[in-house]
mmCIF file with all atom_site columns, all heavy atoms in Angstrom:
data_model
loop_
_atom_site.group_PDB
_atom_site.id
_atom_site.type_symbol
_atom_site.label_atom_id
_atom_site.label_alt_id
_atom_site.label_comp_id
_atom_site.label_asym_id
_atom_site.label_entity_id
_atom_site.label_seq_id
_atom_site.pdbx_PDB_ins_code
_atom_site.Cartn_x
_atom_site.Cartn_y
_atom_site.Cartn_z
_atom_site.occupancy
_atom_site.B_iso_or_equiv
_atom_site.pdbx_formal_charge
_atom_site.auth_seq_id
_atom_site.auth_comp_id
_atom_site.auth_asym_id
_atom_site.auth_atom_id
_atom_site.pdbx_PDB_model_num
ATOM 1   N N   . THR A 1 1  ? 0.830  -1.207 0.000   1.00 92.00 ? 16 THR A N   1
ATOM 2   C CA  . THR A 1 1  ? 0.000  0.000  0.000   1.00 92.00 ? 16 THR A CA  1
ATOM 3   C C   . THR A 1 1  ? 0.864  1.256  0.000   1.00 92.00 ? 16 THR A C   1
ATOM 4   O O   . THR A 1 1  ? 0.601  2.214  -0.744  1.00 92.00 ? 16 THR A O   1
ATOM 5   C CB  . THR A 1 1  ? -0.923 0.010  1.232   1.00 92.00 ? 16 THR A CB  1
ATOM 6   O OG1 . THR A 1 1  ? -1.786 -1.131 1.180   1.00 92.00 ? 16 THR A OG1 1
ATOM 7   C CG2 . THR A 1 1  ? -1.758 1.275  1.289   1.00 92.00 ? 16 THR A CG2 1
ATOM 8   N N   . LEU A 1 2  ? 1.903  1.245  0.827   1.00 94.00 ? 17 LEU A N   1
ATOM 9   C CA  . LEU A 1 2  ? 2.782  2.410  0.920   1.00 94.00 ? 17 LEU A CA  1
ATOM 10  C C   . LEU A 1 2  ? 3.543  2.632  -0.381  1.00 94.00 ? 17 LEU A C   1
ATOM 11  O O   . LEU A 1 2  ? 3.728  3.778  -0.822  1.00 94.00 ? 17 LEU A O   1
ATOM 12  C CB  . LEU A 1 2  ? 3.758  2.238  2.079   1.00 94.00 ? 17 LEU A CB  1
ATOM 13  C CG  . LEU A 1 2  ? 3.131  2.183  3.480   1.00 94.00 ? 17 LEU A CG  1
ATOM 14  C CD1 . LEU A 1 2  ? 4.210  1.987  4.528   1.00 94.00 ? 17 LEU A CD1 1
ATOM 15  C CD2 . LEU A 1 2  ? 2.323  3.434  3.768   1.00 94.00 ? 17 LEU A CD2 1
ATOM 16  N N   . GLN A 1 3  ? 3.989  1.544  -0.997  1.00 93.00 ? 18 GLN A N   1
ATOM 17  C CA  . GLN A 1 3  ? 4.707  1.676  -2.263  1.00 93.00 ? 18 GLN A CA  1
ATOM 18  C C   . GLN A 1 3  ? 3.796  2.268  -3.343  1.00 93.00 ? 18 GLN A C   1
ATOM 19  O O   . GLN A 1 3  ? 4.232  3.113  -4.130  1.00 93.00 ? 18 GLN A O   1
ATOM 20  C CB  . GLN A 1 3  ? 5.249  0.321  -2.705  1.00 93.00 ? 18 GLN A CB  1
ATOM 21  C CG  . GLN A 1 3  ? 6.433  -0.151 -1.866  1.00 93.00 ? 18 GLN A CG  1
ATOM 22  C CD  . GLN A 1 3  ? 6.899  -1.543 -2.251  1.00 93.00 ? 18 GLN A CD  1
ATOM 23  O OE1 . GLN A 1 3  ? 6.117  -2.380 -2.713  1.00 93.00 ? 18 GLN A OE1 1
ATOM 24  N NE2 . GLN A 1 3  ? 8.177  -1.808 -2.051  1.00 93.00 ? 18 GLN A NE2 1
ATOM 25  N N   . SER A 1 4  ? 2.540  1.835  -3.367  1.00 94.00 ? 19 SER A N   1
ATOM 26  C CA  . SER A 1 4  ? 1.587  2.372  -4.348  1.00 94.00 ? 19 SER A CA  1
ATOM 27  C C   . SER A 1 4  ? 1.314  3.851  -4.083  1.00 94.00 ? 19 SER A C   1
ATOM 28  O O   . SER A 1 4  ? 1.230  4.651  -5.020  1.00 94.00 ? 19 SER A O   1
ATOM 29  C CB  . SER A 1 4  ? 0.269  1.582  -4.296  1.00 94.00 ? 19 SER A CB  1
ATOM 30  O OG  . SER A 1 4  ? 0.475  0.236  -4.660  1.00 94.00 ? 19 SER A OG  1
ATOM 31  N N   . LYS A 1 5  ? 1.208  4.201  -2.803  1.00 96.00 ? 20 LYS A N   1
ATOM 32  C CA  . LYS A 1 5  ? 0.959  5.595  -2.425  1.00 96.00 ? 20 LYS A CA  1
ATOM 33  C C   . LYS A 1 5  ? 2.126  6.479  -2.841  1.00 96.00 ? 20 LYS A C   1
ATOM 34  O O   . LYS A 1 5  ? 1.933  7.561  -3.414  1.00 96.00 ? 20 LYS A O   1
ATOM 35  C CB  . LYS A 1 5  ? 0.723  5.682  -0.919  1.00 96.00 ? 20 LYS A CB  1
ATOM 36  C CG  . LYS A 1 5  ? 0.353  7.066  -0.395  1.00 96.00 ? 20 LYS A CG  1
ATOM 37  C CD  . LYS A 1 5  ? -0.020 7.007  1.078   1.00 96.00 ? 20 LYS A CD  1
ATOM 38  C CE  . LYS A 1 5  ? -0.316 8.389  1.660   1.00 96.00 ? 20 LYS A CE  1
ATOM 39  N NZ  . LYS A 1 5  ? -1.460 9.050  0.992   1.00 96.00 ? 20 LYS A NZ  1
ATOM 40  N N   . VAL A 1 6  ? 3.333  6.022  -2.554  1.00 96.00 ? 21 VAL A N   1
ATOM 41  C CA  . VAL A 1 6  ? 4.523  6.798  -2.912  1.00 96.00 ? 21 VAL A CA  1
ATOM 42  C C   . VAL A 1 6  ? 4.650  6.913  -4.434  1.00 96.00 ? 21 VAL A C   1
ATOM 43  O O   . VAL A 1 6  ? 4.986  7.981  -4.961  1.00 96.00 ? 21 VAL A O   1
ATOM 44  C CB  . VAL A 1 6  ? 5.793  6.164  -2.307  1.00 96.00 ? 21 VAL A CB  1
ATOM 45  C CG1 . VAL A 1 6  ? 7.058  6.795  -2.892  1.00 96.00 ? 21 VAL A CG1 1
ATOM 46  C CG2 . VAL A 1 6  ? 5.789  6.319  -0.790  1.00 96.00 ? 21 VAL A CG2 1
ATOM 47  N N   . ALA A 1 7  ? 4.357  5.830  -5.143  1.00 95.00 ? 22 ALA A N   1
ATOM 48  C CA  . ALA A 1 7  ? 4.445  5.856  -6.610  1.00 95.00 ? 22 ALA A CA  1
ATOM 49  C C   . ALA A 1 7  ? 3.502  6.903  -7.193  1.00 95.00 ? 22 ALA A C   1
ATOM 50  O O   . ALA A 1 7  ? 3.860  7.632  -8.129  1.00 95.00 ? 22 ALA A O   1
ATOM 51  C CB  . ALA A 1 7  ? 4.121  4.472  -7.177  1.00 95.00 ? 22 ALA A CB  1
ATOM 52  N N   . ALA A 1 8  ? 2.306  6.990  -6.631  1.00 96.00 ? 23 ALA A N   1
ATOM 53  C CA  . ALA A 1 8  ? 1.338  7.985  -7.105  1.00 96.00 ? 23 ALA A CA  1
ATOM 54  C C   . ALA A 1 8  ? 1.802  9.400  -6.773  1.00 96.00 ? 23 ALA A C   1
ATOM 55  O O   . ALA A 1 8  ? 1.631  10.329 -7.579  1.00 96.00 ? 23 ALA A O   1
ATOM 56  C CB  . ALA A 1 8  ? -0.030 7.710  -6.480  1.00 96.00 ? 23 ALA A CB  1
ATOM 57  N N   . GLU A 1 9  ? 2.409  9.560  -5.598  1.00 97.00 ? 24 GLU A N   1
ATOM 58  C CA  . GLU A 1 9  ? 2.853  10.895 -5.168  1.00 97.00 ? 24 GLU A CA  1
ATOM 59  C C   . GLU A 1 9  ? 4.076  11.376 -5.943  1.00 97.00 ? 24 GLU A C   1
ATOM 60  O O   . GLU A 1 9  ? 4.276  12.586 -6.119  1.00 97.00 ? 24 GLU A O   1
ATOM 61  C CB  . GLU A 1 9  ? 3.150  10.883 -3.667  1.00 97.00 ? 24 GLU A CB  1
ATOM 62  C CG  . GLU A 1 9  ? 1.900  10.713 -2.807  1.00 97.00 ? 24 GLU A CG  1
ATOM 63  C CD  . GLU A 1 9  ? 2.217  10.491 -1.340  1.00 97.00 ? 24 GLU A CD  1
ATOM 64  O OE1 . GLU A 1 9  ? 3.393  10.226 -1.011  1.00 97.00 ? 24 GLU A OE1 1
ATOM 65  O OE2 . GLU A 1 9  ? 1.279  10.565 -0.534  1.00 97.00 ? 24 GLU A OE2 1
ATOM 66  N N   . LYS A 1 10 ? 4.882  10.437 -6.402  1.00 93.00 ? 25 LYS A N   1
ATOM 67  C CA  . LYS A 1 10 ? 6.095  10.817 -7.147  1.00 93.00 ? 25 LYS A CA  1
ATOM 68  C C   . LYS A 1 10 ? 5.759  11.666 -8.365  1.00 93.00 ? 25 LYS A C   1
ATOM 69  O O   . LYS A 1 10 ? 6.526  12.556 -8.748  1.00 93.00 ? 25 LYS A O   1
ATOM 70  C CB  . LYS A 1 10 ? 6.835  9.563  -7.616  1.00 93.00 ? 25 LYS A CB  1
ATOM 71  C CG  . LYS A 1 10 ? 7.668  8.865  -6.570  1.00 93.00 ? 25 LYS A CG  1
ATOM 72  C CD  . LYS A 1 10 ? 8.335  7.654  -7.210  1.00 93.00 ? 25 LYS A CD  1
ATOM 73  C CE  . LYS A 1 10 ? 9.028  6.778  -6.209  1.00 93.00 ? 25 LYS A CE  1
ATOM 74  N NZ  . LYS A 1 10 ? 9.602  5.567  -6.837  1.00 93.00 ? 25 LYS A NZ  1
ATOM 75  N N   . THR A 1 11 ? 4.629  11.373 -8.986  1.00 92.00 ? 26 THR A N   1
ATOM 76  C CA  . THR A 1 11 ? 4.270  12.078 -10.220 1.00 92.00 ? 26 THR A CA  1
ATOM 77  C C   . THR A 1 11 ? 4.070  13.573 -9.986  1.00 92.00 ? 26 THR A C   1
ATOM 78  O O   . THR A 1 11 ? 4.212  14.377 -10.909 1.00 92.00 ? 26 THR A O   1
ATOM 79  C CB  . THR A 1 11 ? 2.981  11.485 -10.826 1.00 92.00 ? 26 THR A CB  1
ATOM 80  O OG1 . THR A 1 11 ? 1.904  11.615 -9.876  1.00 92.00 ? 26 THR A OG1 1
ATOM 81  C CG2 . THR A 1 11 ? 3.169  10.011 -11.161 1.00 92.00 ? 26 THR A CG2 1
ATOM 82  N N   . SER A 1 12 ? 3.748  13.956 -8.736  1.00 92.00 ? 27 SER A N   1
ATOM 83  C CA  . SER A 1 12 ? 3.560  15.373 -8.415  1.00 92.00 ? 27 SER A CA  1
ATOM 84  C C   . SER A 1 12 ? 4.873  16.042 -8.028  1.00 92.00 ? 27 SER A C   1
ATOM 85  O O   . SER A 1 12 ? 4.932  17.268 -7.844  1.00 92.00 ? 27 SER A O   1
ATOM 86  C CB  . SER A 1 12 ? 2.561  15.528 -7.269  1.00 92.00 ? 27 SER A CB  1
ATOM 87  O OG  . SER A 1 12 ? 3.108  15.052 -6.048  1.00 92.00 ? 27 SER A OG  1
ATOM 88  N N   . GLY A 1 13 ? 5.932  15.232 -7.873  1.00 92.00 ? 28 GLY A N   1
ATOM 89  C CA  . GLY A 1 13 ? 7.231  15.774 -7.488  1.00 92.00 ? 28 GLY A CA  1
ATOM 90  C C   . GLY A 1 13 ? 7.391  15.985 -6.002  1.00 92.00 ? 28 GLY A C   1
ATOM 91  O O   . GLY A 1 13 ? 8.394  16.548 -5.558  1.00 92.00 ? 28 GLY A O   1
ATOM 92  N N   . LYS A 1 14 ? 6.411  15.521 -5.218  1.00 95.00 ? 29 LYS A N   1
ATOM 93  C CA  . LYS A 1 14 ? 6.487  15.689 -3.774  1.00 95.00 ? 29 LYS A CA  1
ATOM 94  C C   . LYS A 1 14 ? 5.762  14.547 -3.082  1.00 95.00 ? 29 LYS A C   1
ATOM 95  O O   . LYS A 1 14 ? 4.656  14.178 -3.481  1.00 95.00 ? 29 LYS A O   1
ATOM 96  C CB  . LYS A 1 14 ? 5.869  17.025 -3.354  1.00 95.00 ? 29 LYS A CB  1
ATOM 97  C CG  . LYS A 1 14 ? 5.905  17.294 -1.863  1.00 95.00 ? 29 LYS A CG  1
ATOM 98  C CD  . LYS A 1 14 ? 5.281  18.642 -1.537  1.00 95.00 ? 29 LYS A CD  1
ATOM 99  C CE  . LYS A 1 14 ? 5.276  18.897 -0.036  1.00 95.00 ? 29 LYS A CE  1
ATOM 100 N NZ  . LYS A 1 14 ? 4.665  20.213 0.300   1.00 95.00 ? 29 LYS A NZ  1
ATOM 101 N N   . LEU A 1 15 ? 6.403  13.983 -2.059  1.00 97.00 ? 30 LEU A N   1
ATOM 102 C CA  . LEU A 1 15 ? 5.770  12.913 -1.302  1.00 97.00 ? 30 LEU A CA  1
ATOM 103 C C   . LEU A 1 15 ? 4.984  13.493 -0.126  1.00 97.00 ? 30 LEU A C   1
ATOM 104 O O   . LEU A 1 15 ? 5.205  14.630 0.283   1.00 97.00 ? 30 LEU A O   1
ATOM 105 C CB  . LEU A 1 15 ? 6.825  11.926 -0.784  1.00 97.00 ? 30 LEU A CB  1
ATOM 106 C CG  . LEU A 1 15 ? 7.746  11.278 -1.821  1.00 97.00 ? 30 LEU A CG  1
ATOM 107 C CD1 . LEU A 1 15 ? 8.589  10.185 -1.165  1.00 97.00 ? 30 LEU A CD1 1
ATOM 108 C CD2 . LEU A 1 15 ? 6.955  10.710 -2.985  1.00 97.00 ? 30 LEU A CD2 1
ATOM 109 N N   . GLY A 1 16 ? 4.107  12.690 0.426   1.00 98.00 ? 31 GLY A N   1
ATOM 110 C CA  . GLY A 1 16 ? 3.308  13.126 1.563   1.00 98.00 ? 31 GLY A CA  1
ATOM 111 C C   . GLY A 1 16 ? 3.947  12.825 2.896   1.00 98.00 ? 31 GLY A C   1
ATOM 112 O O   . GLY A 1 16 ? 3.307  12.950 3.937   1.00 98.00 ? 31 GLY A O   1
ATOM 113 N N   . CYS A 1 17 ? 5.214  12.412 2.883   1.00 98.00 ? 32 CYS A N   1
ATOM 114 C CA  . CYS A 1 17 ? 5.883  12.023 4.121   1.00 98.00 ? 32 CYS A CA  1
ATOM 115 C C   . CYS A 1 17 ? 7.292  12.604 4.187   1.00 98.00 ? 32 CYS A C   1
ATOM 116 O O   . CYS A 1 17 ? 7.832  13.095 3.193   1.00 98.00 ? 32 CYS A O   1
ATOM 117 C CB  . CYS A 1 17 ? 5.944  10.503 4.242   1.00 98.00 ? 32 CYS A CB  1
ATOM 118 S SG  . CYS A 1 17 ? 6.907  9.710  2.936   1.00 98.00 ? 32 CYS A SG  1
ATOM 119 N N   . ASP A 1 18 ? 7.868  12.502 5.385   1.00 98.00 ? 33 ASP A N   1
ATOM 120 C CA  . ASP A 1 18 ? 9.245  12.931 5.622   1.00 98.00 ? 33 ASP A CA  1
ATOM 121 C C   . ASP A 1 18 ? 10.147 11.756 6.000   1.00 98.00 ? 33 ASP A C   1
ATOM 122 O O   . ASP A 1 18 ? 11.359 11.819 5.828   1.00 98.00 ? 33 ASP A O   1
ATOM 123 C CB  . ASP A 1 18 ? 9.282  13.957 6.758   1.00 98.00 ? 33 ASP A CB  1
ATOM 124 C CG  . ASP A 1 18 ? 8.362  15.130 6.484   1.00 98.00 ? 33 ASP A CG  1
ATOM 125 O OD1 . ASP A 1 18 ? 8.763  16.013 5.717   1.00 98.00 ? 33 ASP A OD1 1
ATOM 126 O OD2 . ASP A 1 18 ? 7.237  15.144 7.026   1.00 98.00 ? 33 ASP A OD2 1
ATOM 127 N N   . ILE A 1 19 ? 9.541  10.696 6.540   1.00 98.00 ? 34 ILE A N   1
ATOM 128 C CA  . ILE A 1 19 ? 10.257 9.486  6.941   1.00 98.00 ? 34 ILE A CA  1
ATOM 129 C C   . ILE A 1 19 ? 9.451  8.282  6.475   1.00 98.00 ? 34 ILE A C   1
ATOM 130 O O   . ILE A 1 19 ? 8.216  8.280  6.532   1.00 98.00 ? 34 ILE A O   1
ATOM 131 C CB  . ILE A 1 19 ? 10.443 9.424  8.473   1.00 98.00 ? 34 ILE A CB  1
ATOM 132 C CG1 . ILE A 1 19 ? 11.430 10.492 8.941   1.00 98.00 ? 34 ILE A CG1 1
ATOM 133 C CG2 . ILE A 1 19 ? 10.919 8.047  8.928   1.00 98.00 ? 34 ILE A CG2 1
ATOM 134 C CD1 . ILE A 1 19 ? 11.615 10.542 10.456  1.00 98.00 ? 34 ILE A CD1 1
ATOM 135 N N   . LEU A 1 20 ? 10.159 7.255  6.030   1.00 98.00 ? 35 LEU A N   1
ATOM 136 C CA  . LEU A 1 20 ? 9.533  5.981  5.649   1.00 98.00 ? 35 LEU A CA  1
ATOM 137 C C   . LEU A 1 20 ? 10.070 4.870  6.531   1.00 98.00 ? 35 LEU A C   1
ATOM 138 O O   . LEU A 1 20 ? 11.284 4.769  6.759   1.00 98.00 ? 35 LEU A O   1
ATOM 139 C CB  . LEU A 1 20 ? 9.827  5.654  4.187   1.00 98.00 ? 35 LEU A CB  1
ATOM 140 C CG  . LEU A 1 20 ? 8.970  6.365  3.131   1.00 98.00 ? 35 LEU A CG  1
ATOM 141 C CD1 . LEU A 1 20 ? 9.715  6.407  1.802   1.00 98.00 ? 35 LEU A CD1 1
ATOM 142 C CD2 . LEU A 1 20 ? 7.637  5.650  2.957   1.00 98.00 ? 35 LEU A CD2 1
ATOM 143 N N   . MET A 1 21 ? 9.177  4.031  7.055   1.00 97.00 ? 36 MET A N   1
ATOM 144 C CA  . MET A 1 21 ? 9.556  2.848  7.840   1.00 97.00 ? 36 MET A CA  1
ATOM 145 C C   . MET A 1 21 ? 8.770  1.663  7.294   1.00 97.00 ? 36 MET A C   1
ATOM 146 O O   . MET A 1 21 ? 7.727  1.280  7.831   1.00 97.00 ? 36 MET A O   1
ATOM 147 C CB  . MET A 1 21 ? 9.263  3.072  9.332   1.00 97.00 ? 36 MET A CB  1
ATOM 148 C CG  . MET A 1 21 ? 10.060 4.205  9.949   1.00 97.00 ? 36 MET A CG  1
ATOM 149 S SD  . MET A 1 21 ? 9.558  4.634  11.638  1.00 97.00 ? 36 MET A SD  1
ATOM 150 C CE  . MET A 1 21 ? 10.129 3.188  12.552  1.00 97.00 ? 36 MET A CE  1
ATOM 151 N N   . VAL A 1 22 ? 9.254  1.104  6.180   1.00 94.00 ? 37 VAL A N   1
ATOM 152 C CA  . VAL A 1 22 ? 8.567  -0.011 5.530   1.00 94.00 ? 37 VAL A CA  1
ATOM 153 C C   . VAL A 1 22 ? 9.153  -1.336 6.010   1.00 94.00 ? 37 VAL A C   1
ATOM 154 O O   . VAL A 1 22 ? 10.083 -1.369 6.811   1.00 94.00 ? 37 VAL A O   1
ATOM 155 C CB  . VAL A 1 22 ? 8.653  0.100  3.993   1.00 94.00 ? 37 VAL A CB  1
ATOM 156 C CG1 . VAL A 1 22 ? 7.921  1.342  3.507   1.00 94.00 ? 37 VAL A CG1 1
ATOM 157 C CG2 . VAL A 1 22 ? 10.108 0.139  3.530   1.00 94.00 ? 37 VAL A CG2 1
ATOM 158 N N   . ALA A 1 23 ? 8.593  -2.436 5.502   1.00 93.00 ? 38 ALA A N   1
ATOM 159 C CA  . ALA A 1 23 ? 8.941  -3.746 6.050   1.00 93.00 ? 38 ALA A CA  1
ATOM 160 C C   . ALA A 1 23 ? 10.323 -4.241 5.645   1.00 93.00 ? 38 ALA A C   1
ATOM 161 O O   . ALA A 1 23 ? 10.991 -4.924 6.424   1.00 93.00 ? 38 ALA A O   1
ATOM 162 C CB  . ALA A 1 23 ? 7.879  -4.783 5.649   1.00 93.00 ? 38 ALA A CB  1
ATOM 163 N N   . GLU A 1 24 ? 10.752 -3.919 4.426   1.00 93.00 ? 39 GLU A N   1
ATOM 164 C CA  . GLU A 1 24 ? 12.009 -4.522 3.972   1.00 93.00 ? 39 GLU A CA  1
ATOM 165 C C   . GLU A 1 24 ? 12.833 -3.559 3.138   1.00 93.00 ? 39 GLU A C   1
ATOM 166 O O   . GLU A 1 24 ? 12.321 -2.611 2.576   1.00 93.00 ? 39 GLU A O   1
ATOM 167 C CB  . GLU A 1 24 ? 11.725 -5.836 3.231   1.00 93.00 ? 39 GLU A CB  1
ATOM 168 C CG  . GLU A 1 24 ? 10.677 -5.753 2.129   1.00 93.00 ? 39 GLU A CG  1
ATOM 169 C CD  . GLU A 1 24 ? 11.241 -5.347 0.793   1.00 93.00 ? 39 GLU A CD  1
ATOM 170 O OE1 . GLU A 1 24 ? 12.478 -5.377 0.642   1.00 93.00 ? 39 GLU A OE1 1
ATOM 171 O OE2 . GLU A 1 24 ? 10.464 -4.991 -0.096  1.00 93.00 ? 39 GLU A OE2 1
#
């Protein structure tokens, strides 16, 4: 889910987060 969210946000040139803590 997070990877899909980040992929969608990349297109705008800005992510919705400052830190990522994913599983792997």
Side-chain angles (χ1 to χ4, degrees):
T16 299
L17 296 179
Q18 287 176 331
S19 297
K20 184 173 177 61
V21 169
E24 292 171 347
K25 281 180 188 177
T26 60
S27 69
K29 180 180 178 180
L30 304 188
C32 63
D33 305 280
I34 291 177
L35 280 157
M36 297 172 70
V37 296
E39 51 87 14

